[in-house]
């Protein structure tokens, strides 16, 4: 029996090692060396024939595991944007045409693997910019993106305000800050007369900041957080332990969220446990996506969160949604919308900088490419802040007691100037715009 | 009090799946000494087969669960025949290696066939139930009841039928069993079939509540190993009790202390029990 016990302990050890190895070892595919060679060959020939040169753009993020769809939405958006840019002939710098290709690698939201992927893409594919959609991966990437001769532009898809505090000159933050939702949710909740809130938000850098920020704003108003039960949305699928504890405190509302798919499970399990009150979704979760997973809005009366992409309100949004959903067979989410617009902004910044491989010059040229408005883009971007935050609307939309989506409210959050608001109202195609200055 | 009952209920439901998975693992690992790391992946495969039958062939829920059990039973037999049997009598490390190979093969095959993003099986029983002040869904009750029934049936099978007792006989003494005319290879096949079918049943019952992904078995097999060590290797009672203990520790610790450290409680319990009783709860001193 003792031998068997030893064997068991050994087995346990091996399983642990294995899980580690599996987490480290799963990339989507090997870098495509032959293509790279072709690109290099092309470079030499192009000088004469002016054949377009292919620029590889990097992406690393969760492409397997519970957050896989979130990662894929990002990849799809970038890819769809690249396809569009390429079909319009790419970009032209000094008479030389450039087209784009996306290299997407899986890191299962594991920061160690993120760094490995990033170094590999930088070394072997010379990518000038890397997209990543998970804050706990973005922060370590921002540690290495300024290494001399290995610089890359960090295209950060995370609404975490901390990105701006990291003081990095080579970062572009794509979506609006989540502080907009924190403020808007707290305002709406307070005006509804709700006082006791319970939180079941995802663990990790992004979720931790969300919880802290919301607690601060809410308690400042005089409200109470009666339960704070975080869960790891990236690895867990059963939230009944946390939900039971949170609901036992009889909250007036629940604040939940992480990636949309596990968030749908949380909403469903909360209703299963008999909770009928309002549910606020953090901005990473998209209510139209949650509704699709749950087969409709039956369980989602009284939910509020980021507006459904169908209700963005720009001319191009509907066309984009139709084309995107036809091509990828999945619901169009804000990730796709913002990433599509961001890759266009990146291409425009390269053209503006006159370089496809100098991250510093590209970053410096970035603020000059705005505004990007609703005739050509599904989401509108108006300007860029000093730390690389792109200025686009943050909005909140509620689902009423009949399960219908109400008209979304959009916030201009980067200024408190009425003139700027009027200016934006002049160029924007979106209705229902309000000022709500937040301090990042 | 209500919260306590609610957490106990959550713990029992989690424990039911843990017990079913650990039982399968203890059968092949504790009894035949095969370290089947791929057990969690067979669990995962079971969920995918059920998903496949329901979404593509419009099987009813129970028809799909039973078909999935049968299919995984056959897969289990094939695994025993082609992956583990050729290695009997060789150093243990060989079986470790082929188990790892099988694990990688299964996980990646599923990822290639069905994609890596999470899938959902529609709820067959979505209604909520109120019971003793706790609220839950019919599906969760079904998981608990079905697990108990299956565990009892397996116990009866092993203790009361001639085929079942051959499993115990082989476990006690492989060569002795051969001498009295037991077909050892057949017994191994049967054990693997039962083990895999149990994993498939657990996964299929849980699938409508959760999501299914190619990596869903990874943490589970780790916990199953914890359970069978905690319960005493090769002990079926140990696996059952260990499963429920782990489920309860996770849900009570998570609900009352901190949900962020759920897994810490689970693995902490293992350390604690092994420190007090190194052979596990039902482990024998030596054999």
């Amino acid at each position: 029996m003792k031998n068997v016990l030893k064997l068991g302990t050994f087995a346990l050890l091996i399983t642990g090692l294995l899980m580690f190895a599996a987490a480290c070892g799963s990339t989507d595919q090997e870098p495509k060396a032959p293509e790279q060679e072709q690109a290099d060959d092309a470079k030499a020939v192009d000088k004469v024939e002016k054949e377009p040169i292919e620029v590889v753009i990097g992406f690393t993020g969760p492409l397997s595991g519970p957050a896989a769809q979130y990662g894929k939405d990002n990849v799809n958006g970038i890819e769809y944007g690249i396809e569009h840019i390429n079909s319009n002939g790419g970009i032209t710098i000094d008479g030389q045409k450039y087209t784009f290709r996306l290299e997407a690698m899986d890191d299962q939201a594991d920061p160690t693997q993120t760094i490995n992927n990033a170094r590999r893409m930088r070394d072997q594919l010379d990518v000038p910019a890397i997209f990543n959609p998970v804050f706990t991966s973005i922060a370590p990437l921002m540690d290495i993106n300024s290494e001399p001769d290995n610089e890359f532009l960090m295209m950060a898809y995370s609404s975490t305000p901390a990105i701006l505090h990291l003081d990095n000159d080579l970062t572009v933050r794509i979506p609006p800050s989540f502080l907009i939702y924190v403020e808007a949710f707290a305002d709406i909740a307070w005006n509804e007369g709700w006082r006791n809130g319970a939180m079941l938000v995802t663990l990790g850098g992004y979720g931790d900041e969300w919880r802290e920020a919301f607690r601060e704003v809410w308690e400042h108003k005089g409200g109470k957080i009666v339960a704070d039960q975080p869960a790891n949305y990236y690895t867990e699928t059963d939230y009944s332990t946390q939900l039971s504890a949170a609901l036992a405190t009889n909250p007036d509302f629940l604040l939940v969220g992480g990636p949309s798919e596990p968030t749908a499970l949380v909403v469903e399990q909360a209703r299963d446990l008999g909770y009928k009150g309002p549910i606020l979704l953090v901005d990473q979760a998209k209510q139209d996506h949650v509704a699709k997973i749950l087969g409709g809005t039956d369980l989602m009366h009284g939910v509020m969160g980021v507006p459904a992409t169908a209700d963005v309100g720009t001319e191009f949004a509907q066309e984009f949604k139709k084309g995107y959903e036809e091509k990828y067979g999945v619901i169009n989410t804000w990730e796709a919308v913002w990433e599509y617009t961001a890759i266009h902004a990146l291409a425009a910044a390269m053209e503006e900088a006159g370089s496809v491989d100098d991250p510093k010059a590209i970053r410096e040229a970035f603020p000059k490419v705005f505004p990007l408005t609703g005739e050509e883009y599904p989401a509108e971007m108006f300007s860029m802040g000093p730390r690389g935050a792109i200025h686009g609307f943050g909005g909140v939309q509620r689902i009423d007691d009949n399960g219908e989506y109400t008209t979304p409210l959009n916030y201009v959050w980067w200024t408190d100037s009425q003139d700027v608001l009027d200016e934006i109202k002049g160029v924007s195609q979106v209705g229902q715009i309000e000022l709500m200055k937040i301090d990042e | 009090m209500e919260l306590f009952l609610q957490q106990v209920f959550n713990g029992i439901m989690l424990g039911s799946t843990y017990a079913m998975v650990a039982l399968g693992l203890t059968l092949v690992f504790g009894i035949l000494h095969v370290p089947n790391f791929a057990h969690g992946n067979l669990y995962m495969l079971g969920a995918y087969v059920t998903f496949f039958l329901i979404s593509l062939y419009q099987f009813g829920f129970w028809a799909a669960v039973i078909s999935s059990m049968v299919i995984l039973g056959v897969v289990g037999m094939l695994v025993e025949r082609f992956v583990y049997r050729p290695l009997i009598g060789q150093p243990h490390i060989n079986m470790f290696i082929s188990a790892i190979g099988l694990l990688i093969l299964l996980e990646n095959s599923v990822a290639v066939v069905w994609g890596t993003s999470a899938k959902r099986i529609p709820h067959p029983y979505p209604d909520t139930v109120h019971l003793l002040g706790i609220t839950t869904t019919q599906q969760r009750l079904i998981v608990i009841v079905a697990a108990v029934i299956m565990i009892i049936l397996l116990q009866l099978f092993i203790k009361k039928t001639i085929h079942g007792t051959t499993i115990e006989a082989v476990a006690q003494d492989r060569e002795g069993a051969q001498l009295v005319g037991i077909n050892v290879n057949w017994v191994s096949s049967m054990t693997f079939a039962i083990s895999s079918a149990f994993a498939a049943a657990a996964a299929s019952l849980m699938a409508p509540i959760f999501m299914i992904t190619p990596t869903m078995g990874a943490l589970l097999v780790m916990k199953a190993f914890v359970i069978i060590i905690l319960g005493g290797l090769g002990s079926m009672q140990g696996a059952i009790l260990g499963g429920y203990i782990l489920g309860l520790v996770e849900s009570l610790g998570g609900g009352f202390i901190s949900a962020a450290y759920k897994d810490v409680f689970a693995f902490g319990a293992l350390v604690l029990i092994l420190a007090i009783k190194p052979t596990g709860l039902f482990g024998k001193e030596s054999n």
Side-chain angles (χ1 to χ4, degrees), chain A residues 66 200 232-240 243 254 256-273 279 281 285 289-291 293-294 299-300, chain B residues 118-121 123 137 140 206-213:
Chain A
L200 203 168
N232 191 341
Y233 281 54
Y234 294 91
T235 55
E236 283 177 50
T237 44
D238 185 17
Y239 306 94
S240 40
L243 274 169
L254 269 183
V256 308
S260 296
E261 291 184 341
T263 303
L265 285 181
V266 174
V267 170
E268 183 182 69
Q269 288 171 18
R271 297 301 191 215
D272 285 351
L273 285 166
I279 301 178
L281 306 183
H289 193 186
V290 172
I293 296 163
L294 295 179
L299 298 175
M300 294 176 67
Chain B
K119 302 267 185 286
R120 287 212 78 190
I121 293 176
H123 255 305
T137 54
R140 283 174 188 252
M206 293 292 264
I209 305 177
F210 303 142
M211 291 185 296
I212 55 179
T213 65

Side-chain angles (χ1 to χ4, degrees), chain B:
Chain B
M1 191 60 197
E2 265 173 34
L3 175 60
F4 178 76
L5 282 178
Q6 185 81 51
Q7 296 295 21
V8 168
F9 179 83
N10 295 338
I12 291 177
M13 195 208 68
L14 267 184
S16 303
T17 32
Y18 288 167
M20 284 174 79
V21 174
L23 256 181
L25 191 65
T26 210
L27 277 178
V28 296
F29 181 53
I31 298 180
L32 298 178
H33 296 191
V34 173
N36 191 13
F37 294 121
H39 195 64
N41 290 59
L42 293 169
Y43 168 88
M44 177 269 298
L45 192 63
Y48 271 95
V49 169
T50 304
F51 165 77
F52 178 69
L53 293 174
I54 290 178
S55 62
L56 223 64
Y57 292 105
Q58 277 81 40
F59 271 50
F61 179 67
W62 289 107
V65 173
I66 290 166
S67 313
S68 170
M69 286 175 69
V70 173
I71 291 169
L72 259 290
V74 174
V75 171
M77 287 167 102
L78 294 176
V79 164
E80 191 273 340
R81 179 64 190 85
F82 294 106
V83 181
Y84 294 119
R85 194 184 299 172
L87 301 176
I88 286 177
Q90 293 184 25
H92 270 303
I93 191 72
N94 294 6
M95 279 198 190
F96 275 109
I97 293 168
S98 48
I100 291 165
L102 181 64
L103 181 154
I104 295 170
L105 177 79
L106 284 174
E107 191 169 314
N108 286 290
S109 313
V110 167
V112 166
V113 175
W114 281 293
T116 49
S117 59
K119 302 267 185 286
R120 287 212 78 190
I121 293 176
H123 255 305
Y125 303 100
D127 294 339
T128 50
V129 187
H130 300 277
L131 201 82
L132 300 169
I134 58 176
T135 313
T136 183
T137 54
Q138 290 177 354
Q139 182 69 28
R140 283 174 188 252
L141 281 177
I142 286 170
V143 171
I144 296 177
V145 174
V148 170
I149 291 174
M150 288 190 60
I151 288 169
I152 292 174
L153 285 179
L154 182 67
Q155 288 285 338
L156 289 177
F157 172 76
I158 294 211
K159 299 290 176 197
K160 303 286 181 198
T161 67
I162 188 86
H163 290 294
T165 44
T166 56
I167 293 180
E168 279 207 305
V170 174
Q172 281 163 12
D173 189 340
R174 200 181 173 88
E175 281 169 9
Q178 251 168 336
L179 283 176
V180 296
I182 293 174
N183 184 342
V184 175
N185 287 335
W186 164 243
V187 172
S188 299
S189 275
M190 182 170 67
T191 311
F192 259 88
I194 293 172
S195 157
S196 306
F198 255 65
S204 308
L205 288 168
M206 293 292 264
I209 305 177
F210 303 142
M211 291 185 296
I212 55 179
T213 65
T215 49
M216 69 193 276
L219 187 61
L220 191 75
V221 75
M222 180 98 166
K223 287 184 177 166
F225 271 110
V226 167
I227 290 163
I228 61 173
I229 293 171
L230 199 142
L233 284 170
S235 160
M236 290 182 46
Q237 294 96 314
I240 298 164
L241 196 68
Y244 285 104
I245 288 178
L246 195 73
L248 285 169
V249 165
E250 278 189 12
S251 95
L252 290 174
F256 286 102
I257 306 171
S258 166
Y261 298 110
K262 232 168 86 172
D263 294 333
V264 176
F265 300 127
F267 294 107
L270 172 77
V271 173
L272 195 73
I273 289 184
L274 286 187
I276 298 167
K277 200 164 182 302
T279 51
L281 293 175
F282 288 85
K284 297 172 194 83
E285 274 309 309
S286 73
N287 58 1

Side-chain angles (χ1 to χ4, degrees), chain A residues 165-304:
Chain A
H165 304 155
L166 289 176
D167 208 20
N168 186 293
D169 294 332
L170 290 176
T171 294
V172 171
R173 192 190 68 188
I174 300 161
S177 165
F178 70 60
L179 291 176
I180 307 156
Y181 310 103
V182 171
E183 295 281 350
F185 284 176
D187 270 356
I188 294 169
W190 188 261
N191 292 336
E192 289 281 350
W194 306 332
R195 293 297 177 262
N196 295 333
M199 303 195 284
L200 203 168
V201 180
T202 185
L203 281 170
Y206 161 83
D208 292 345
E209 280 209 50
W210 231 107
R211 290 186 293 129
E212 266 170 46
F214 188 78
R215 179 189 284 275
E216 199 183 310
V217 172
W218 186 242
E219 287 179 348
H220 185 71
K221 275 187 183 298
K224 260 169 80 180
I225 298 294
V226 289
D228 182 8
Q229 294 279 345
N232 191 341
Y233 281 54
Y234 294 91
T235 55
E236 283 177 50
T237 44
D238 185 17
Y239 306 94
S240 40
T241 301
Q242 292 91 332
L243 274 169
S244 304
L247 296 179
T249 60
N250 281 322
D252 295 325
F253 65 90
L254 269 183
L255 174 70
V256 308
S260 296
E261 291 184 341
T263 303
L265 285 181
V266 174
V267 170
E268 183 182 69
Q269 288 171 18
R271 297 301 191 215
D272 285 351
L273 285 166
Y275 178 71
K276 293 192 174 62
I279 301 178
L280 283 50
L281 306 183
V282 305
D283 60 312
Q284 191 181 2
K286 307 300 183 299
Q287 46 188 352
D288 43 347
H289 193 186
V290 172
K292 194 182 175 208
I293 296 163
L294 295 179
T297 52
D298 284 351
L299 298 175
M300 294 176 67
H301 297 182
V303 167
M304 72 173 96

